[in-house]
Amino acid sequence: QPISVRIAHLFLINYKYYTNRVGVDNYLSVELSHCGTGANPDINIDQVLSPSGIPIGIPFTSTNPKAMTREDMDFVREDGWNVPEMCLFGFDMIIIYSAHKALLEQFLSSKTNTRTDEYGGSLEYRMRYPLEVIRAIRESVGEKMLFLHKRD
């Protein structure tokens, strides 16, 4: 398990403090995102990941991202969002944010996704990984949890 994920789990404990104080008549959502190449390498503990290893050219983002391997993709899809923990800590809704150069948006763009496998090429192929992530999150939270994929 990457160091950043273990540290993230420590921070999740603080969420319980806030979700307990919202009250019965109120609802609380959490918005989650994977920065991909948009991650700041100065504060990112692990190697910055991207669909194809292409920097996005925005200040304070990685200039040397790692192209995701199948193993990286499997980990991010299945374990990289901390969604089951968010459900346990009392959030009522999970929002997955994938706009403005976030990882899932990077998969959709032909400029940042130049993969030659089943996740690159046509828009249909570039959509595969984001849809896999969204389906995996929906399965992990079940039908009773509100779930929104936000791409604006």
Side-chain angles (χ1 to χ4, degrees):
Q1 193 176 43
I3 293 171
S4 62
V5 172
R6 288 182 294 203
I7 291 172
H9 284 262
L10 295 174
F11 288 111
L12 288 174
I13 295 168
N14 292 323
Y15 287 123
K16 190 66 173 173
Y17 173 84
Y18 295 104
T19 57
N20 283 340
R21 280 154 182 75
V22 170
V24 179
D25 295 328
N26 299 299
Y27 297 94
L28 192 61
S29 66
V30 61
E31 185 173 284
L32 306 172
S33 181
H34 191 297
C35 294
T37 308
N40 184 332
D42 294 332
I43 59 173
N44 198 51
I45 294 171
D46 299 316
Q47 172 72 47
V48 173
L49 299 174
S50 76
S52 304
I54 298 171
I56 57 176
I58 297 174
F60 307 108
T61 62
S62 178
T63 58
N64 188 28
K66 175 189 173 199
M68 292 177 78
T69 64
R70 187 66 223 180
E71 292 79 25
D72 295 327
M73 293 169 68
D74 291 345
F75 175 78
V76 169
R77 184 185 63 243
E78 301 300 328
D79 300 315
W81 298 87
N82 298 311
V83 170
E85 291 89 345
M86 296 299 175
C87 296
L88 289 174
F89 289 134
F91 286 99
D92 302 294
M93 180 176 179
I94 303 292
I95 302 170
I96 300 300
Y97 181 79
S98 66
H100 304 112
K101 306 301 180 193
L103 181 67
L104 297 183
E105 192 272 337
Q106 292 168 28
F107 267 91
L108 295 173
S109 171
S110 60
K111 293 180 181 180
T112 52
N113 180 352
T114 59
R115 298 176 72 95
T116 57
D117 62 6
E118 68 270 27
Y119 296 100
S122 69
L123 178 59
E124 179 184 359
Y125 288 1
R126 294 191 318 267
M127 289 175 53
R128 282 184 180 171
Y129 184 68
L131 289 172
E132 285 180 12
V133 169
I134 292 165
R135 285 185 194 112
I137 292 170
R138 169 44 77 199
E139 288 176 18
S140 74
V141 300
E143 292 299 320
K144 293 184 180 181
M145 170 67 76
L146 292 172
F147 172 65
L148 172 69
H149 171 238
K150 183 177 176 183
R151 187 173 186 271
D152 59 354

